[in-house]
Amino acid sequence: MIQPAELQRLPLFEPLSVAQLEYVRSTARERSCMAGEPLFTQGDAARHFFLVRRGGIKLFLLSREGDEKVVEVIQAGQLFAEAVMFMEQRRYPVNATALADTELVIFDHDTFLSLLAETPGLALKMLGSLSRRVHGLLSHIDELTLHNATYRLVAYLLSQPQDDTGEVRLDLPKQVIASRLSMKPETLSRILARLRTQALVEVSGETLLLKDKNGLRRLLGQEI
């Protein structure tokens, strides 16, 4: 079971007292999801928000034709669905499915709302967290609408954690990355092949070596 000290490391829970943290911990529960298992569906009644402890969750929408658009990927150490508690109709606005075998901590919306009334600092933390999430989504929308597919993929690769040699591990399936970047998987593969031909990257399975980061930045029009 999650411990109070682990909760307090999350910015959202930082303002809580020891007693409040223990209360949150005692009312939370844990759940394991297998890869591909749905957590909730768009339109379901929303009573909880979640912390990913291990694995990952894909948040996505479905078009009328059944095409999937990945809105966000939630990874270990991240919270999600906390903003839904403030919606007039508490229903999840997206679908959520486990990308891999995943361990979650589930928090109750009503429990958390009662703590907001007691702790003004908590409300400010939540506002800050939601503002950062909105800013991130707006930046993502800006990239999708103003830049071509090559720009979006290169920007994504440069934003990923990498070691001293420039090696990047793609922890997400390529079809998920493609959906997140609003492109077809074959488009992603085609761009990677072109970047490899230009000696900008080297591809080996799920690992990419960014051979020429300055050259990649030039594709984004960034100063070096």
Side-chain angles (χ1 to χ4, degrees):
M1 187 61 182
I2 193 166
Q3 297 302 309
E6 187 177 349
L7 285 177
Q8 198 163 34
R9 285 196 290 271
L10 298 167
L12 186 61
F13 295 117
E14 188 181 355
L16 296 182
S17 66
V18 173
Q20 288 172 324
L21 285 169
E22 178 57 34
Y23 176 59
V24 170
R25 189 198 68 83
S26 68
T27 57
R29 59 188 177 90
E30 296 184 349
R31 173 177 169 178
S32 296
C33 295
M34 297 177 61
E37 181 180 345
L39 178 61
F40 55 75
T41 300
Q42 183 182 8
D44 284 352
R47 301 183 179 89
H48 306 100
F49 67 101
F50 308 85
L51 167 68
V52 176
R53 296 185 81 186
R54 182 177 68 86
I57 294 288
K58 172 179 63 176
L59 304 181
F60 64 99
L61 296 169
L62 291 174
S63 70
R64 292 180 180 177
E65 295 75 25
D67 295 327
E68 186 179 287
K69 166 56 185 169
V70 176
V71 176
E72 195 169 5
V73 174
I74 310 298
Q75 298 177 313
Q78 292 183 299
L79 293 164
F80 67 100
E82 67 273 33
V84 184
M85 74 178 83
F86 300 108
M87 296 172 66
E88 186 176 355
Q89 294 184 343
R90 285 198 219 168
R91 296 191 176 277
Y92 294 115
V94 295
N95 306 284
T97 295
L99 278 170
D101 291 347
T102 298
E103 294 178 1
L104 298 166
V105 181
I106 302 176
F107 304 97
D108 181 73
H109 279 164
D110 288 334
T111 298
F112 197 79
L113 286 171
S114 69
L115 292 176
L116 284 176
E118 300 173 5
T119 314
L122 185 58
L124 292 174
K125 283 285 183 181
M126 171 156 276
L127 284 172
S129 174
L130 297 180
S131 295
R132 286 190 295 274
R133 180 78 59 83
V134 169
H135 179 74
L137 290 174
L138 288 175
S139 296
H140 181 61
I141 291 170
D142 177 70
E143 286 193 355
L144 295 180
T145 55
L146 297 181
H147 302 294
N148 62 28
T150 298
Y151 183 105
R152 298 196 301 268
L153 179 57
V154 170
Y156 175 82
L157 294 177
L158 288 172
S159 72
Q160 297 306 294
Q162 52 193 268
D163 62 19
D164 293 338
T165 67
E167 190 171 276
V168 172
R169 175 74 182 175
L170 297 180
D171 294 326
L172 302 176
K174 287 182 181 177
Q175 62 267 29
V176 173
I177 297 173
S179 178
R180 180 78 174 111
L181 298 176
S182 287
M183 66 181 72
K184 299 289 186 183
E186 53 267 30
T187 303
L188 184 147
S189 296
R190 189 164 57 248
I191 295 170
L192 281 178
R194 187 165 65 247
L195 295 177
R196 186 170 60 245
T197 300
Q198 295 171 344
L200 296 173
V201 303
E202 186 177 298
V203 183
S204 177
E206 302 305 314
T207 301
L208 273 76
L209 179 64
L210 306 185
K211 297 177 64 177
D212 184 357
K213 284 187 278 189
N214 286 340
L216 290 169
R217 293 189 188 100
R218 278 193 288 271
L219 291 178
L220 304 184
Q222 295 180 353
E223 294 184 4
I224 302 169

